[in-house]
Amino acid sequence: MRLFCRRAVNAFIALLLILVVSPRIHSQATNYPDKPPLLLGAAWYPEQWPESRWDQDLTLMEAAHINLVRVAEFAWSTMEPSEGHYEFDWLDRAIALAAKHHICVVLGTPTAAPPAWLTTKYPETLRWDENGRRDEHGNRQQFSFTDPKYRQFAHNIAEQMAIHFGPNPNVVGWQLDNEYANPSFDPTAKEQFHRWLEKKYGTVAELNRRWATAYWSQTYDQFDEIPTREDGENPALLLDWKRFVSDTWKNYSENQVSAIRPHADPRQFITTNTMGWFDGFNEYTVHSVLDIAAWDNYITGNYDYVANGATHDLARGFKNKNYWVMETEPAFVNWHKVNSPLLRGQVRDMAWQAVGHGAEAVEYWQWRSAPNGQEEYHGTLVGADGTPVPVYDEIRQVGEEFTKAGSAIAGTSPHSEVALVNDYDSRWAISFQRHSANFDPVGEMVAFYRPLREQSQSVDIISINAPFDGYKVIELPGLNVISQKTADRLMEFVRNGGHLLLGPRSAMKDEFNALQPERQPGPLAAFLGGRVDQFYALDADVPLSGDLGSGTASIWAEQLSTQSPDTTVVERYGKSNGWLDGQPAVLTRKVGKGRITYVGAWLDTALLNDITGGLLEEAGVQPILPGVPKGVEVCRRSGQGKSVLILINHNTDSAHVSLPEPMRDLIGAQSTAVNAVDLPPFGVAVLTRE
Ligand code: GAL
């Protein structure tokens, strides 16, 4: 049996892969025959500036090839200046003027920013924090997501907007609210949580059993006794609270969807803008009632393109199809400790990365600052004087390129043979009891994603409930919470030829966040033919060595053992805390036509790279374009008989990339096909076969 041998790069197979469309089909998110297929946009707040200024702004947008604006998002006090009195004339004029400049519109419902008359007259609509302190008017997002009165007002304004703008051919979609975030702990939320629990468990006795409430005398006699908290509580309660919050954001969305849908043109999508890995609620739950996914791509720290690419793939997985970047930064934000800019060229680099991962629109936040307000220092495209700032030209270049490449990219999307599972239950369960403060579940996801992406060049990030068919490799970096049903699906995947890799902390808990009765990986332990004898948080690195190379573990290490003769130990720990010395760290077993591998530690990048390489080779996964220099990202979008390669040089030096066949760069200076491209620092090529 060949186990994880080194990969040989086979250019011929790679070429075939470029030409052949994978069976796993992702679809386009939006399709407007009369609009450009790749949209470039900006958040525009016409209500913040005199109307006499609008035409000049839109002229400058058009000159930058901006063909999309998002408007009205926080304009509640302008659209409903007093209760039940709606004023949309100004917005009609703004949308009509935008249309004259060939700019289409996404309308935001303004519910993240209720007007003062509303919260003053109906203070019950305000959010309560965990300690029972009610918010006051000011800033934004100060509403309670459960309050019936607030729901009514939100429904009304969304409905009035939809009646008015639903038939407007220049409106292409709707964004609900803005960046759902904070739950409320007000009496209505508590009451709804109790009823949610009652519906789930039927009897309080069943809840007591599942939550093991004999612990610390938590036994409940009635659902109404149960506290509402976000941390420091019974882990079962905490997990159910997060699920309740997810369901509440879902029905918060449905409240507005039901107001908009009956009046909106069917081609108008409904979405909301999300925040990457944010774990306040389950995105898959909320997206089940939305048409497309859209996210806000802001960079924290330095631009780590692999980590940023992972977040794009995460967003694509919310609906398992192309998505929108509803907001991104024109070089810098205003909410870090030090708001240093992206380097010159990186704004364009990021725009193309978004498209490479499946975005159909990239929108900058924001066009221009409000004359006053909390965000005066944020990056913009024009200054307070109304003339372009330096990044405007870079964004205009993106616009020109989107126009040139749009028709080749239309109808295409990324297709992957490998998937990484993102599971909110597991991320929450780990975060509630990290055991090592350094164990960040997202950090762990990205650590596993990095070699997978670098070597396969295309990864889907999916929910544990997504279909597994079509994937050759599925990695579960930290599937801490597992149900028997999920375990059965995973075993079937392996038996049918799939390669499954589990990371540390896998399959420790059941769906009530209780410890599994068997050692990790619980219902998969017998299948693996091995188990976790003990887990350890690490305060120092531990050496490892074995068939796959040597390296170190940090943060977390599990002492494994085999229980079956055909389960192989592929890595062992070296000398460390005594407990781990010489013990198994990575196990693997061939089962049916596939393989299950358990990695019991947080490994260094090089070792994880080697393990991933072996797994991909055995599973028959090839890179899209072999032999590209480090720091050059390869993205492929295909569909409708087309295939487009997007190459992005994220390096500050130039890079030379050989192509498997002559290709034409749709945004390059040369109009004929080439066999290789030279990418300057942050250079991009968009290549098609001729
Ligand atoms: C986003 C938000 C925008 C704006 C932006 C600034 O999170 O949706 O309204 O505040 O941040 O970076």
Side-chain angles (χ1 to χ4, degrees):
M1 178 184 66
R2 194 171 61 142
L3 176 69
F4 291 166
C5 47
R6 300 270 151 196
R7 317 173 71 190
V9 173
N10 185 326
F12 179 67
I13 293 178
L15 169 62
L16 283 183
L17 281 168
I18 291 171
L19 305 182
V20 173
V21 176
S22 129
R24 172 156 291 276
I25 303 300
H26 296 289
S27 52
Q28 207 167 328
T30 46
N31 186 10
Y32 308 112
D34 57 333
K35 310 281 180 230
L38 267 186
L39 293 164
L40 183 74
W44 182 45
Y45 300 92
E47 72 278 16
Q48 296 171 2
W49 289 93
E51 197 164 335
S52 57
R53 166 78 222 178
W54 294 354
D55 195 53
Q56 214 177 321
D57 276 333
L58 292 162
T59 304
L60 276 171
M61 285 186 209
E62 192 175 8
H65 303 267
I66 286 178
N67 38 39
L68 167 74
V69 284
R70 186 194 59 195
V71 295
E73 182 202 29
F74 296 116
W76 200 339
S77 63
T78 316
M79 290 191 288
E80 190 180 355
S82 58
E83 186 173 345
H85 169 228
Y86 299 97
E87 285 187 7
F88 295 129
D89 292 0
W90 65 275
L91 195 48
D92 282 329
R93 293 195 297 278
I95 296 173
L97 201 56
K100 256 174 74 185
H101 288 277
H102 309 105
I103 294 173
C104 61
V105 167
V106 167
L107 281 175
T109 67
T111 49
W117 60 256
L118 194 161
T119 50
T120 307
K121 185 165 173 197
Y122 305 101
E124 70 271 28
T125 59
L126 288 165
R127 197 177 83 83
W128 287 29
D129 72 14
E130 222 189 350
N131 299 317
R133 199 185 61 89
R134 194 166 69 189
D135 216 334
E136 56 181 21
H137 191 81
N139 282 315
R140 55 181 173 178
Q141 297 179 317
Q142 67 275 51
F143 63 90
S144 159
F145 72 157
T146 49
D147 182 64
K149 186 57 106 185
Y150 198 73
R151 292 279 180 106
Q152 187 59 51
F153 277 110
H155 190 275
N156 290 351
I157 183 80
E159 186 173 51
Q160 290 302 316
M161 288 177 76
I163 291 170
H164 201 89
F165 300 109
N168 191 317
N170 205 39
V171 172
V172 295
W174 297 80
Q175 174 194 298
L176 308 181
D177 208 278
N178 174 69
E179 295 187 343
Y180 297 164
N182 297 321
S184 181
F185 296 83
D186 57 82
T188 308
K190 278 185 195 211
E191 164 66 16
Q192 290 185 7
F193 181 49
H194 294 150
R195 300 294 73 82
W196 185 96
L197 291 170
E198 190 167 11
K199 188 159 172 235
K200 174 167 180 176
Y201 292 98
T203 63
V204 79
E206 177 62 4
L207 177 143
N208 282 324
R209 184 174 80 82
R210 291 299 194 174
W211 290 16
T213 52
Y215 176 78
W216 285 0
S217 197
Q218 289 167 2
T219 314
Y220 298 108
D221 295 319
Q222 303 168 43
F223 285 101
D224 293 348
E225 294 166 355
I226 297 169
T228 46
R229 298 210 70 84
E230 298 202 282
D231 57 32
E233 250 297 340
N234 181 319
L237 181 154
L238 295 177
L239 193 56
D240 274 339
W241 170 254
K242 287 284 197 190
R243 290 166 172 156
F244 163 76
V245 167
S246 305
D247 282 349
T248 305
W249 282 120
K250 177 180 161 189
N251 57 49
Y252 180 86
S253 309
E254 281 173 316
N255 178 50
Q256 296 193 32
V257 170
S258 67
I260 296 169
R261 196 33 88 207
H263 309 287
D265 185 305
R267 72 181 196 149
Q268 294 173 354
F269 66 77
I270 302 177
T271 188
T272 189
N273 54 334
T274 57
M275 296 185 281
W277 292 102
F278 175 73
D279 75 347
F281 54 88
N282 182 327
E283 293 285 7
Y284 303 110
T285 303
V286 171
H287 278 85
S288 65
V289 296
L290 302 175
D291 299 320
I292 70 166
W295 79 287
D296 296 347
N297 186 186
Y298 293 103
I299 300 300
T300 302
N302 288 331
Y303 173 37
D304 171 346
Y305 79 89
V306 181
N308 199 54
T311 322
H312 282 297
D313 294 340
L314 174 77
R316 195 176 67 250
F318 290 158
K319 292 298 287 183
N320 208 12
K321 63 182 180 187
N322 289 353
Y323 60 93
W324 281 32
V325 171
M326 198 60 98
E327 297 179 8
T328 190
E329 58 189 76
F332 56 89
V333 299
N334 68 322
W335 39 265
H336 291 314
K337 278 198 178 134
V338 177
N339 294 294
S340 53
L342 291 165
L343 302 178
R344 190 171 189 160
Q346 280 182 325
V347 169
R348 171 172 172 258
D349 164 321
M350 278 182 67
W352 276 108
Q353 187 192 41
V355 175
H357 285 254
E360 291 177 7
V362 176
E363 265 184 280
Y364 291 92
W365 198 95
Q366 61 174 332
W367 172 250
R368 186 182 188 183
S369 297
N372 208 329
Q374 282 85 324
E375 296 173 302
E376 292 175 39
Y377 279 87
H378 199 282
T380 56
L381 278 80
V382 296
D385 64 345
T387 66
V389 297
V391 77
Y392 174 93
D393 279 340
E394 191 168 321
I395 293 170
R396 186 182 55 191
Q397 186 186 346
V398 173
E400 262 169 32
E401 293 169 347
F402 277 15
T403 310
K404 284 184 190 161
S407 60
I409 288 172
T412 64
S413 32
H415 302 276
S416 314
E417 294 176 312
V418 305
L420 195 85
V421 169
N422 168 52
D423 183 54
Y424 288 95
D425 283 357
S426 297
R427 283 171 51 195
W428 292 327
I430 291 174
S431 287
F432 298 149
Q433 301 181 86
R434 281 203 181 184
H435 201 61
S436 164
N438 298 327
F439 200 109
D440 167 22
V442 174
E444 198 208 12
M445 294 284 296
V446 174
F448 277 86
Y449 174 90
R450 193 175 293 280
L452 207 54
R453 170 74 200 185
E454 284 178 345
Q455 295 184 58
S456 71
Q457 297 171 343
S458 188
V459 178
D460 286 346
I461 298 186
I462 59 170
S463 149
I464 190 65
N465 299 316
F468 296 158
D469 41 288
Y471 292 117
K472 292 180 173 169
V473 172
I474 296 181
E475 294 199 357
L476 309 150
L479 191 75
N480 193 244
V481 171
I482 191 169
S483 65
Q484 187 58 50
K485 190 169 149 232
T486 294
D488 291 343
R489 288 182 63 221
L490 292 171
M491 290 188 279
E492 194 196 339
F493 170 74
V494 173
R495 284 196 196 95
N496 291 337
H499 285 64
L500 192 72
L501 182 139
L502 300 162
R505 303 181 82 147
S506 288
M508 185 184 193
K509 309 287 198 76
D510 71 10
E511 58 282 40
F512 301 94
N513 212 356
L515 293 167
Q516 293 277 359
E518 310 105 330
R519 299 280 182 81
Q520 289 168 254
L524 294 171
F527 191 73
L528 172 68
R531 67 175 209 183
V532 175
D533 284 343
Q534 186 56 278
F535 55 82
Y536 304 101
L538 300 180
D539 54 8
D541 287 359
V542 174
L544 286 103
S545 60
D547 291 353
L548 303 175
S550 49
T552 53
S554 59
I555 302 176
W556 196 267
E558 292 166 350
Q559 178 183 343
L560 310 182
S561 64
T562 57
Q563 317 287 312
S564 167
D566 58 344
T567 299
T568 315
V569 177
V570 283
E571 288 287 316
R572 283 183 188 275
Y573 300 105
K575 188 146 184 50
S576 69
N577 60 6
W579 305 110
L580 287 167
D581 300 7
Q583 297 300 316
V586 179
L587 303 180
T588 191
R589 187 187 197 192
K590 218 167 172 340
V591 190
K593 290 184 253 161
R595 175 178 293 285
I596 179 169
T597 301
Y598 189 98
V599 177
W602 190 314
L603 301 179
D604 70 81
T605 311
L607 186 54
L608 202 51
N609 207 41
D610 289 342
I611 292 180
T612 309
L615 191 69
L616 292 178
E617 167 155 20
E618 199 188 9
V621 178
Q622 297 284 332
I624 294 168
L625 192 60
V628 291
K630 193 147 182 58
V632 173
E633 184 173 8
V634 178
C635 304
R636 181 185 57 204
R637 288 181 54 153
S638 55
Q640 299 186 353
K642 298 187 269 188
S643 179
V644 182
L645 265 191
I646 298 172
L647 305 182
I648 307 162
N649 178 18
H650 298 286
N651 299 302
T652 48
D653 297 323
S654 343
H656 179 82
V657 183
S658 306
L659 302 173
E661 59 170 338
M663 298 183 103
R664 195 162 72 84
D665 183 0
L666 300 175
I667 62 169
Q670 206 172 325
S671 57
T672 53
V674 291
N675 289 309
V677 284
D678 286 299
L679 298 167
F682 307 125
V684 180
V686 181
L687 301 153
T688 52
R689 284 190 300 139
E690 279 288 296

